[in-house]
Amino acid sequence: MKFMYILIAFFLLSFSSCTNPEWWSEPVIVEEPIVVPEPVEPTYPPLTDNELMDKVQMESLKYFWEYAEPNSKLARERYHVEDPGNDAQIVTTGGSGFGLMSLIVGVERGFVPRAEAVSRFTTALNFLENADRFHGAWPHWMNGTNGDVIPFSTFDNGGDLVETAFLCQALICLREYFKNGNAEEIALAQKADDLWRGVEWDWYTKGENNLYWHWSPNYQWQMNFKLQGFDETLITYILAKASPTHPISNAVYNQCWARNGAIVTSGTSYGLPKIFNHNGTSSVGPMFWSHYSFLGLDPRGLTDQYANYWNLTQNHAKIMLNYSVANPGNFTSYSDKFWGLTAGYTRNTNGTVGYTAHQPNNDRGVVTPTAALSNFPYTPVESMKFLRYLYFEKRSKFVGVAGPYDAVSPHFNDWVTKRYLAIDQGTIIPMIENHRTGLLWNLFMNAPEVRTGLQNLGFTSSQHGI
């Protein structure tokens, strides 16, 4: 039987060969186009607005809890997910201030154990006590292993008064939060108070009616950078006036910061009053100008002779939103759910990673998530839209080990930096919390010397009875 099958097969093969002389030729292959399906974002369980705010706060907190500089427990300047050893020893003064405020939120919300947080705070403040200081001011960068100054630039190797102000804003909040606690917490509060009182704000005037950003033991006042508004430096004046030990005069505030009134403008953008001239731009500056000073300083109902600060900061945020919706650069995905420009990592024209202060007159099609997220107090609806877009449409690409990555761009094929910066990650948690509960605003604005300093400068606050 097996032999019969072989004969039949041979017969059919021979027949085919005779009737189809091209039987052995190359077969004709019809190529079907390969269809690559669009990637689909994984499905995540639905979350309420509060649950989603919890999530982004908790994840962003990891930067200051899990990825802190291990010796000082303060904030690293940066963290590269794919190169974690990059600048691992560089501690940033201002970013550490933002980190301390973020950890206060973490304690309040139960994201981190209170006792363990107190231990970390104590380590951090002990480090600050022994680190390099210049007439009381800390440098921009410090070596986390020994507290030595790391030059930020050639002439910037001494005191940085603005970075110091960001840190002191946090020290006051820390003192107020723990001052009525147990013995260890009271000691922590006292140390925070001692550190803040040690800053010689008045020395940084050079005896003039100006406040200067830098002083170097090698180059003295060579940087010669006056703190004139409007930018991120307002908090420096508030603290310099509030200082119980080294206060400045009102003339320094009025003549330098307010430029003898020239800070005020009648200009508008997208139909909204700008109120202040924003340094170096005819529109508005990067969003961090309305974040850094206002982590503790509550703009709600805050006024002086120059501005209503709630209108100032809220209009800044709304102008930035309107710019992104108008999208004059025709960048992909810009809308009321994907918006916001501030300083941070960026995409260079050759595709490499750089750094710039994104703003309407410097828009590269790159969005820094902290811009919209830290705007929650000012634009709660649109900031929530951005947060939902980030976590439910782009989470697998734009969110990483410590919350949203620093810079993202759908325009350049979902380009992203798998990197974090302390000064960007550090405003997300406090500003969302201020939107939710006003925690840090209440701590800072109720500090006795802050209230006195604001009053002496001519500020009033309907929100806090000043």
Side-chain angles (χ1 to χ4, degrees):
M1 183 66 70
K2 182 177 181 181
F3 179 73
M4 183 178 295
Y5 285 144
I6 293 172
L7 285 176
I8 293 172
F10 180 79
F11 173 79
L12 291 174
L13 181 62
S14 301
F15 181 79
S16 296
S17 299
C18 294
T19 58
N20 183 7
E22 298 182 359
W23 189 82
W24 290 109
S25 64
E26 290 291 326
V28 176
I29 300 174
V30 178
E31 293 187 2
E32 294 292 335
I34 298 174
V35 178
V36 179
E38 286 292 318
V40 178
E41 185 73 13
T43 301
Y44 300 102
L47 297 174
T48 65
D49 288 354
N50 280 327
E51 288 171 335
L52 192 51
M53 285 187 285
D54 275 348
K55 189 170 187 63
V56 71
Q57 284 183 304
M58 197 181 317
E59 290 185 354
S60 298
L61 190 66
K62 291 179 181 179
Y63 184 92
F64 303 102
W65 189 256
E66 296 183 17
Y67 302 107
E69 195 284 318
N71 178 62
S72 66
K73 303 302 181 185
L74 291 169
R76 293 175 52 170
E77 167 70 9
R78 59 181 65 93
Y79 182 76
H80 293 198
V81 174
E82 295 171 336
D83 184 17
N86 188 306
D87 290 337
Q89 83 286 2
I90 296 181
V91 164
T92 172
T93 295
S96 290
F98 301 163
L100 295 177
M101 297 176 87
S102 296
L103 287 172
I104 291 171
V105 176
V107 171
E108 181 70 8
R109 290 203 165 268
F111 297 157
V112 295
R114 185 181 181 100
E116 189 174 343
V118 169
S119 176
R120 284 200 174 204
F121 284 136
T122 301
T123 298
L125 268 55
N126 286 339
F127 175 87
L128 291 171
E129 183 179 34
N130 294 295
D132 281 347
R133 298 177 77 172
F134 305 87
H135 290 275
W138 288 275
H140 191 125
W141 283 343
M142 294 172 282
N143 188 316
T145 63
N146 55 25
D148 292 349
V149 59
I150 295 177
F152 189 69
S153 64
T154 300
F155 303 121
D156 187 1
N157 68 339
D160 185 312
L161 199 65
V162 176
E163 292 284 309
T164 295
F166 299 150
L167 177 58
C168 286
Q169 185 177 210
L171 292 174
I172 290 173
C173 289
L174 193 67
R175 182 196 71 195
E176 293 297 298
Y177 189 76
F178 288 109
K179 67 182 182 182
N180 296 318
N182 60 32
E184 186 179 3
E185 292 171 357
I186 292 171
L188 174 65
Q190 183 60 56
K191 187 174 289 291
D193 189 56
D194 292 342
L195 290 171
W196 129 251
R197 285 171 173 264
V199 182
E200 298 176 28
W201 307 91
D202 55 344
W203 193 83
Y204 279 79
T205 66
K206 293 199 296 184
E208 306 169 1
N209 288 330
N210 296 303
L211 201 56
Y212 288 87
W213 197 310
H214 313 92
W215 179 80
S216 161
N218 305 107
Y219 305 103
Q220 308 300 310
W221 303 102
Q222 190 160 340
M223 296 285 288
N224 200 40
F225 202 122
K226 296 178 183 178
L227 275 59
Q228 296 178 304
F230 174 67
D231 55 20
E232 75 272 30
T233 64
L234 173 61
I235 192 64
T236 317
Y237 282 91
I238 303 301
L239 291 169
K241 186 62 183 179
S243 171
T245 53
H246 298 277
I248 60 169
S249 69
N250 285 16
V252 179
Y253 174 75
N254 292 316
Q255 292 182 32
C256 193
W257 165 258
R259 304 173 187 259
N260 287 314
I263 192 174
V264 178
T265 181
S266 59
T268 63
S269 186
Y270 294 96
L272 293 164
K274 289 169 49 183
I275 301 174
F276 278 168
N277 288 304
H278 288 230
N279 289 336
T281 175
S282 59
S283 179
V284 292
M287 271 316 316
F288 75 89
W289 290 358
S290 287
H291 297 155
Y292 291 1
S293 288
F294 299 97
L295 298 188
L297 183 66
D298 187 351
R300 297 175 300 172
L302 184 68
T303 61
D304 69 354
Q305 62 178 307
Y306 304 111
N308 177 309
Y309 287 85
W310 179 248
N311 292 342
L312 171 75
T313 53
Q314 191 178 52
N315 284 6
H316 186 184
K318 288 182 175 180
I319 289 168
M320 190 67 76
L321 169 65
N322 287 335
Y323 167 82
S324 298
V325 171
N327 193 14
N330 295 314
F331 293 115
T332 302
S333 295
Y334 275 28
S335 64
D336 67 347
K337 71 177 184 179
F338 185 74
W339 61 283
L341 304 176
T342 194
Y345 284 118
T346 193
R347 182 186 182 277
N348 296 324
T349 54
N350 64 358
T352 59
V353 177
Y355 182 90
T356 195
H358 303 103
Q359 52 192 295
N361 68 342
N362 181 32
D363 186 2
R364 302 187 183 185
V366 174
V367 163
T368 307
T370 189
L373 295 179
S374 299
N375 275 348
F376 252 102
Y378 312 135
T379 53
V381 172
E382 294 81 6
S383 292
M384 180 56 71
K385 285 183 179 180
F386 180 89
L387 181 55
R388 288 198 169 275
Y389 171 80
L390 205 62
Y391 271 76
F392 291 103
E393 296 186 47
K394 295 289 185 180
R395 177 174 175 82
S396 63
K397 295 179 179 178
F398 291 170
V399 180
V401 297
Y405 288 124
D406 192 70
V408 300
S409 177
H411 184 78
F412 296 104
N413 194 30
D414 285 343
W415 177 90
V416 63
T417 57
K418 292 188 175 182
R419 305 181 184 185
Y420 297 96
L421 286 168
I423 54 173
D424 285 343
Q425 217 65 9
T427 60
I428 294 172
I429 303 154
M431 289 302 272
I432 290 179
E433 192 60 34
N434 283 331
H435 162 68
R436 301 179 79 177
T437 66
L439 173 65
L440 296 162
W441 283 343
N442 291 332
L443 290 171
F444 185 78
M445 296 295 287
N446 286 312
E449 66 270 52
V450 171
R451 297 175 67 86
T452 300
L454 286 169
Q455 287 174 331
N456 289 342
L457 280 178
F459 280 85
T460 61
S461 170
S462 59
Q463 184 73 28
H464 298 279
I466 298 173

